[in-house]
């Protein structure tokens, strides 16, 4: 690899300030704690355990994955096609090191991942790569730009964080197909909906405003 290729990071993204990381972690822990006590959740426990009677402690089930961030472009040190163009985009260069306020609009849980949905502003969408939402899921191609934006809060044993964005796209594709999901209850934090196959979404009544720095990560 050339020196220039070597200089590309593992990924670009917004990195949450540490005080807000603690708040987001606490909020998601509270949510998990409540979720696994709900009768509606217990009814669908088999999605998580594979066995009907088994109990699950969601706080233990998911493992944290380092600094909370919202990935914009995964570069893999330049191995990903288009990552060089992304790094050279004037908007990316100008925003490097700048502060933003991310809006966390929902929390979601699947048997694989737990994450927060990030609703990007027009200004933030400028930093979102055009092809990031297209991956994998059928129907995802017709979702609005930035649909995949999220923060990985935890992954089940053996699951890689890349899965979180795919899980979010799946839920959004169901919503777009007109599948309203099953409204379970109004919780203090917001309304909880079940989308089948262990997919839960809590739409936050008050989005969490999360200050974050746009930067990169080399690992
Ligand atoms: P995410 O953004 O959902 O948290 P890893 O530790 O597996 O190398 O991943 C480093 C970061 O890059 C994680 O934040 C991860 O997921 C993200 N990531 C990994 N692979 C991809 C991919 N193929 N596309 C988009 N983001 C990815």
């Amino acid at each position: 690899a050339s020196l220039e290729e070597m200089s590309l990071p593992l990924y670009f993204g917004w990195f949450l300030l540490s005080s807000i990381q603690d708040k987001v972690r606490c909020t998601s822990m509270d949510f998990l704690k409540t979720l696994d006590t709900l009768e509606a959740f217990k009814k669908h426990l088999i999605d998580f355990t594979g066995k009907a009677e088994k109990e699950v402690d969601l706080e233990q089930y998911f493992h944290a994955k380092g600094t909370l961030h919202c990935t914009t472009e995964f570069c893999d040190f330049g191995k990903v096609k288009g990552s060089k163009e992304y790094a050279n985009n004037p908007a990316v260069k100008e925003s490097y090191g700048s502060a933003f306020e991310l809006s966390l609009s929902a929390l979601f849980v699947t048997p694989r991942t737990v994450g927060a949905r990030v609703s990007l502003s027009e200004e933030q969408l400028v930093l979102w790569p055009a092809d990031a939402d297209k991956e994998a899921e059928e129907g995802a191609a017709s979702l609005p730009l930035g649909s995949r934006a999220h923060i990985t809060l935890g992954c089940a044993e053996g699951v890689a964080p890349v899965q979180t964005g795919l899980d979010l796209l799946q839920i959004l594709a169901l919503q777009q197909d007109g599948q309203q999901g099953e409204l379970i209850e109004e919780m203090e934090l917001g309304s909880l909906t079940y989308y089948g196959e262990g997919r839960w979404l809590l739409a936050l009544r008050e989005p969490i405003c999360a200050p974050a720095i746009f930067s990169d990560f080399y690992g």
Side-chain angles (χ1 to χ4, degrees):
S2 73
L3 199 58
E4 198 175 340
E5 277 167 10
M6 293 293 289
S7 72
L8 285 174
L10 181 59
Y11 61 87
F12 283 91
W14 289 284
F15 296 80
L16 270 59
L17 300 192
S18 63
S19 57
I20 194 72
Q21 288 196 47
D22 293 342
K23 183 189 149 92
V24 172
R25 281 207 186 89
C26 282
T27 306
S28 96
M29 281 300 183
D30 284 347
F31 172 49
L32 293 181
K33 227 182 258 175
T34 310
L35 183 62
D36 66 13
T37 63
L38 296 180
E39 281 312 314
F41 182 81
K42 289 183 182 160
K43 208 170 95 189
H44 300 287
L45 210 53
I46 198 160
D47 297 326
F48 285 79
T49 59
K51 285 200 199 103
E53 289 95 58
K54 230 174 128 189
E55 300 232 325
V56 66
D57 177 351
L58 288 180
E59 284 174 279
Q60 307 282 322
Y61 184 90
F62 293 112
H63 305 277
K65 293 283 166 183
T67 309
L68 296 188
H69 65 275
C70 174
T71 305
T72 53
E73 172 85 1
F74 181 70
C75 304
D76 199 8
F77 310 108
K79 283 187 220 122
V80 174
K81 197 171 147 266
S83 55
K84 189 174 159 201
E85 288 73 14
Y86 180 86
N88 287 327
N89 176 341
V92 168
K93 288 188 164 170
E94 275 162 32
S95 295
Y96 190 86
S98 301
F100 289 79
E101 285 189 343
L102 299 182
S103 174
L104 280 48
S105 54
L107 299 178
F108 57 94
V109 173
T110 76
R112 298 163 296 277
T113 64
V114 51
R117 182 180 187 192
V118 177
S119 295
L120 298 174
S121 67
E122 290 296 318
E123 183 201 16
Q124 293 160 358
L125 278 172
V126 171
L127 298 171
W128 193 255
D131 55 1
D133 314 305
K134 300 257 152 69
E135 205 178 309
E137 275 312 305
E138 253 174 70
S142 56
L143 288 168
L145 188 72
S147 294
R148 185 177 178 164
H150 69 279
I151 294 165
T152 297
L153 299 171
C155 298
E157 194 69 50
V159 174
V162 64
Q163 186 61 43
T164 319
L166 304 177
D167 283 356
L168 174 59
L169 285 179
Q170 238 186 48
I171 294 172
L172 298 180
L174 288 172
Q175 285 180 344
Q176 178 158 284
D177 283 354
Q179 295 189 35
Q180 297 305 312
E182 183 187 342
L183 180 63
I184 301 295
E185 67 177 62
E186 294 296 333
M187 299 171 70
E188 208 177 303
L189 285 169
S191 49
L192 177 69
T193 304
Y194 182 59
Y195 288 92
E197 296 174 26
R199 296 169 294 200
W200 299 84
L201 182 109
L202 175 74
L204 295 173
R205 202 178 310 286
E206 300 262 342
I208 300 172
C209 173
I213 304 292
F214 181 72
S215 185
D216 57 9
F217 184 80
Y218 280 82

